Amino acid sequence: MRKLFTSESVTEGHPDKLCDYISDSVLDAYLAKDPYARVACETVAGKGEIYITGEISSVAEVNIEEVARQAVKEIGYDNAKTDMDYKTCKITVNVSKQSSDIALGVDKSQETKQGELDSEGAGDQGIMFGFACNETEELMPLPISLAHKLARRLTEVRKQKIVDYLRPDGKTQVTIEYEGGKPVRVDTIVVSTQHKEEVDLETLKKEIKEKVIYEVVPKELLDEKTKYFINPTGRFVTGGPLGDSGLTGRKIIVDTYGGYARHGGGAFSGKDATKVDRSAAYMARFIAKNIVANHLAEKCEIQFSYAIGVAKPVSIHIDTYGTNTIKEEEIVKMIYKNFDLTPRGIINYLDLRKPIYRDTTNYGHFGKENLNWEKTITLID
């Protein structure tokens, strides 16, 4: 049976991603000075203004406005008439310390108070999912993998002036045709990219196809039936926070698996690793990837659940979609035996107190070889 599945990505200039990048830049600025900083930073952007709020507890002093302007500059926003200007945009900072009620559970877990173990508690309740499959070299689903690569390439050709009339905002979308559960071809590619006023649409379509799509998508996946929609509205001059408002944490499906696997609902950007929304999702991906890399399954989804103030996960669920080579119960036992899934255990194992988070913000939090949760190990029961 043939089926179609679609995933999307966005460039770093998308208004939501601009906000994610500012939030992660603030997080990294604090962690660079204080590895134990508690940060939950949220950003809103729109119509020439940026509003930064949240809860930050740290011994470090950080000029948040300066960090935000530098982030906007790095993305390439320097024109208030078409999107935003890092030099003139209005920035409002309204942050407070972490709630003392939350800190009670994070500083000492329920298990620590009862003398069972020494660990911080989870910073919130919630469910987190990790996923991996053998469709690509990085063990990610093919639709989101290609969508991310197209979005990254859009940014590369803009910043390197290979296509010098592009602006930072953009979106990509890839539809893959599957046969018998295996990807066989690209059915549809959608690319919408912000551009300068003077560009001719036909020139843009030609160059995006030649210098972006053909540079990224393997030729063997394209055929005469593949459909291309490049700037289908015909014009995309006004973009970024001028064209649409942005908000931290609104691209959670782009950040994970493109809808191919489930998502717990918690966003990542702007949160330090005591927030299991982020750290446990990273650990779940790490374990799922290594289950596939060690040929224990061709496809694997893991769910963790946590309670606020409690260190150990409340539950672990695994689904290998019938592709497992050993019993799923044995895989769960292996997880419990080999990994400390308390917040402290995850933070130490993945080395999450360092200022690494700006590298995660754009083009997916998974599938990048330089990140610790993407490394492969030998699983020994």
Side-chain angles (χ1 to χ4, degrees):
M1 178 183 292
R2 289 181 175 255
K3 295 182 178 180
L4 300 178
F5 192 88
T6 303
S7 293
E8 70 159 347
S9 183
V10 297
T11 65
E12 60 197 56
H14 185 282
D16 292 332
K17 275 293 149 197
L18 167 67
C19 293
D20 284 344
Y21 192 61
I22 292 171
S23 293
D24 275 335
S25 295
V26 171
L27 170 62
D28 276 1
Y30 275 98
L31 291 177
K33 296 181 177 181
D34 176 12
Y36 292 88
R38 300 269 176 84
V39 179
C41 180
E42 309 286 346
T43 304
V44 181
K47 312 302 181 282
E49 296 188 23
I50 293 172
Y51 182 82
I52 301 170
T53 189
E55 299 79 46
I56 300 175
S57 297
S58 175
V59 298
E61 293 291 334
V62 170
N63 187 327
I64 294 177
E65 178 179 339
E66 185 178 286
V67 170
R69 289 195 191 279
Q70 180 61 29
V72 178
K73 180 181 180 181
E74 289 172 8
I75 287 174
Y77 279 129
D78 56 7
N79 189 332
K81 293 182 179 180
T82 60
D83 32 60
M84 178 171 276
D85 188 343
Y86 72 92
K87 300 185 293 294
T88 61
C89 62
K90 178 183 177 182
I91 297 180
T92 302
V93 178
N94 179 19
V95 299
S96 60
K97 291 186 177 181
Q98 183 181 66
S99 162
S100 58
D101 292 344
I102 295 175
L104 280 173
V106 178
D107 293 340
K108 288 186 178 181
S109 67
Q110 178 176 293
E111 295 97 323
T112 299
K113 294 171 184 175
Q114 295 172 350
E116 297 174 12
L117 55 80
D118 181 19
S119 178
E120 296 82 4
D124 200 355
Q125 71 174 49
I127 56 175
M128 303 86 207
F129 286 93
F131 181 79
C133 63
N134 61 4
E135 290 182 11
T136 60
E137 186 177 339
E138 64 270 28
L139 303 185
M140 288 286 287
L142 183 59
I144 191 65
S145 176
L146 289 179
H148 282 326
K149 289 174 182 177
L150 287 170
R152 184 188 291 274
R153 179 63 180 169
L154 261 184
T155 297
E156 288 175 356
V157 299
R158 171 177 63 86
K159 289 187 170 181
Q160 295 173 15
K161 299 190 183 305
I162 297 170
V163 183
D164 61 5
Y165 49 77
L166 298 184
R167 292 293 292 167
D169 197 358
K171 302 178 78 171
T172 64
Q173 186 171 285
V174 177
T175 301
I176 298 294
E177 183 174 320
Y178 287 79
E179 184 174 10
K182 303 294 182 182
V184 293
R185 60 181 291 273
V186 173
D187 182 81
T188 306
I189 295 174
V190 182
V191 177
S192 294
T193 179
Q194 187 188 9
H195 57 84
K196 296 179 181 178
E197 178 87 37
E198 61 271 17
V199 67
D200 172 72
L201 180 60
E202 291 308 312
T203 299
L204 183 147
K205 288 183 176 181
K206 180 175 182 292
E207 294 209 285
I208 293 301
K209 187 176 284 190
E210 292 178 354
K211 297 178 180 179
V212 176
I213 296 173
Y214 292 162
E215 290 292 322
V216 167
V217 182
K219 293 181 180 179
E220 60 270 21
L221 292 176
L222 301 172
D223 56 33
E224 68 280 357
K225 294 183 179 179
T226 300
K227 299 179 284 294
Y228 303 89
F229 297 99
I230 301 171
N231 280 32
T233 64
R235 175 185 166 89
F236 189 177
V237 174
T238 301
L242 186 60
D244 194 6
S245 60
L247 180 65
T248 297
R250 199 156 55 182
K251 283 290 175 283
I252 57 176
I253 301 304
V254 171
D255 285 345
T256 52
Y257 308 101
Y260 197 98
R262 286 176 284 195
H263 192 293
F268 299 155
S269 290
K271 297 177 181 178
D272 74 88
T274 65
K275 282 74 172 174
V276 285
D277 276 343
R278 186 169 210 165
S279 55
Y282 289 174
M283 192 65 175
R285 160 64 180 173
F286 173 78
I287 296 174
K289 181 175 182 179
N290 277 285
I291 287 170
V292 176
N294 281 267
H295 306 292
L296 301 180
E298 295 179 11
K299 184 186 296 187
C300 179
E301 181 184 76
I302 294 175
Q303 183 205 55
F304 297 148
S305 69
Y306 287 83
I308 187 168
V310 179
K312 293 182 179 180
V314 175
S315 67
I316 297 176
H317 173 78
I318 186 170
D319 187 354
T320 58
Y321 305 89
T323 68
N324 48 307
T325 57
I326 65 173
K327 292 181 179 179
E328 289 182 347
E329 308 92 272
E330 295 302 314
I331 297 176
V332 173
K333 289 179 182 178
M334 187 182 299
I335 294 171
Y336 277 114
K337 179 180 178 181
N338 288 288
F339 301 104
D340 179 354
L341 299 177
T342 65
R344 182 185 296 180
I346 293 172
I347 289 168
N348 290 341
Y349 192 90
L350 297 179
D351 202 10
L352 297 179
R353 294 200 186 275
K354 293 181 177 178
I356 59 172
Y357 296 99
R358 281 156 47 99
D359 288 342
T360 71
T361 311
N362 296 299
Y363 317 114
H365 290 244
F366 308 124
K368 301 172 181 174
E369 291 184 0
N370 61 307
L371 301 174
N372 286 347
W373 49 93
E374 291 298 318
K375 299 185 186 305
T376 54
I377 61 172
T378 300
L379 286 178
I380 302 174
D381 188 15

